[in-house]
Structure formats: C-alpha cells, structure tokens
Amino acid sequence: MSLSVRSPGAPESVPRNAASSPSSSELLAFVRRTAADASLVASLPLDPEGRTWVRLDGPGGSEAWLIGWPPGTGTGWHDHGGSHGAFATAAGTLREESLAARIPTEGWKTLELADGIDRERRLTAGRGRAFGAHHVHQVLNESVDEHAVSVHAYYPPLPMMRRYSRTGAMLRLEQVERPEEWQ
C-alpha cells in the first residue's frame, strides 16, 4: 500500500511506501558503515572556519550527507521537517543536545519546555544514533583544535528544517529553511 504524505509547507507530496522506505535502524546501519569508510572520510575537504559537506546516495531514496565540523562549530537547535534519520561520527567527537519530548510542528512561535526533557550524549568515532520524525536537537564540535566528521541520513529527503533559539526553558521558532538554501 502506498500512502502520500504532505509535510506542512512542503512544495509537493512525498510518496512513502512502507515496504521500501528505510527505517531508522537501516539508516543507522548505513551511516555507521559509511563513517567507517576511511577513504571517503579522508576525501572530504575541511575548512578551518566553516562546516563543509558532500551529498551522498543514501539507501532506499534517503538523503545522506558527509559533514566536516571545524573546532567550535555547531548546528544550533533544529528539527528535520518531519523526516526520521540517523547520524554517526566518523572522526573526532560530537556532542548532541536533544529534547525528549514531542514538539508540535505547527501553531506556535514560543514554547516553554518542561523540566527534565533535556538529553545529552557524546558521540566519538564509530558511534551513532537514530531518531524519529519529531526530533529536535543541536550538534556541536566542542574541540578547540580537532575537526570532527560525521555522516547523516534522512528519510524522506528533508522537505525543510526548522531552526530554533533557546534561552533557558524557552524555545522559539526562528526560521524555516528549504532544501534550495543548503544544497
């Protein structure tokens, strides 16, 4: 059975077929395998000041990226526009801060977060994690002198990313980015 799903604000429907769409665990296996490919990781050009990335072919129509993180860089708080996914660190160490709560995707500009929903994990080379469609997080390379490299995969391919600012318990929607802004 095929189900057509339209993400809020997405320019067109994204067909989803449960028999062929990759699960979060399949995406996690892919990003771990890809992160272990030393020649691919070494081929990524690294910039001392800004993140670099190369788009990869992901499994089952997913979107995948190899990303280089200079020391002291991060993503800021964001979600993946309703896509589920996974990422794995290939080199260095990344810290992920996430919210253990399902954040509504529409109808708010500022949200007060409940106590106890913050999560943090450090992902060293070879470690990864999968996440669901409502995942809100930020990823950081806190090293002062070492680049990090990671592999990310999303399904369906990212229809948008919502960017947030956070001050204490207050989460504020700041911007909605479309694929043409990062591809």
Side-chain angles (χ1 to χ4, degrees):
M1 178 179 168
S2 181
L3 174 66
S4 183
V5 176
R6 183 173 172 88
S7 296
E12 58 190 13
S13 295
V14 178
R16 295 187 74 172
N17 182 332
S20 64
S21 63
S23 67
S24 294
S25 61
E26 290 168 322
L27 294 176
L28 181 58
F30 167 79
V31 296
R32 284 181 171 154
R33 271 192 322 274
T34 305
D37 183 340
S39 63
L40 176 65
V41 172
S43 73
L44 179 67
L46 300 177
D47 183 309
E49 296 178 20
R51 287 190 300 153
T52 54
W53 54 87
V54 173
R55 189 164 184 169
L56 306 172
D57 291 327
S62 65
E63 176 175 2
W65 299 89
L66 179 65
I67 301 174
W69 305 75
T73 59
T75 60
W77 288 94
H78 67 281
D79 70 20
H80 303 100
S83 297
H84 67 273
F87 73 98
T89 303
T93 300
L94 293 172
R95 180 170 63 108
E96 180 197 33
E97 296 175 351
S98 62
L99 302 176
R102 187 176 180 144
I103 305 296
T105 57
E106 297 293 326
W108 66 277
K109 185 77 172 167
T110 304
L111 202 61
E112 185 170 359
L113 302 172
D115 289 337
I117 66 167
D118 288 294
R119 300 293 182 267
E120 181 181 313
R121 62 174 43 98
R122 293 194 185 286
L123 296 133
T124 55
R127 294 203 50 218
R129 61 117 59 234
F131 51 85
H134 297 278
H135 190 63
V136 175
H137 70 162
Q138 69 175 346
V139 179
L140 309 148
N141 177 6
E142 296 181 311
S143 173
V144 295
D145 58 1
E146 182 182 23
H147 265 79
V149 176
S150 57
V151 179
H152 303 246
Y154 310 99
Y155 189 86
L158 297 173
M160 73 176 86
M161 288 178 64
R162 293 179 197 87
R163 299 231 172 244
Y164 306 98
S165 62
R166 181 161 181 202
T167 305
M170 299 304 291
L171 187 69
R172 180 176 176 82
L173 176 63
E174 297 291 346
Q175 179 181 9
V176 176
E177 292 179 1
R178 304 282 177 204
E180 56 273 10
E181 296 176 58
W182 65 77
Q183 292 185 5

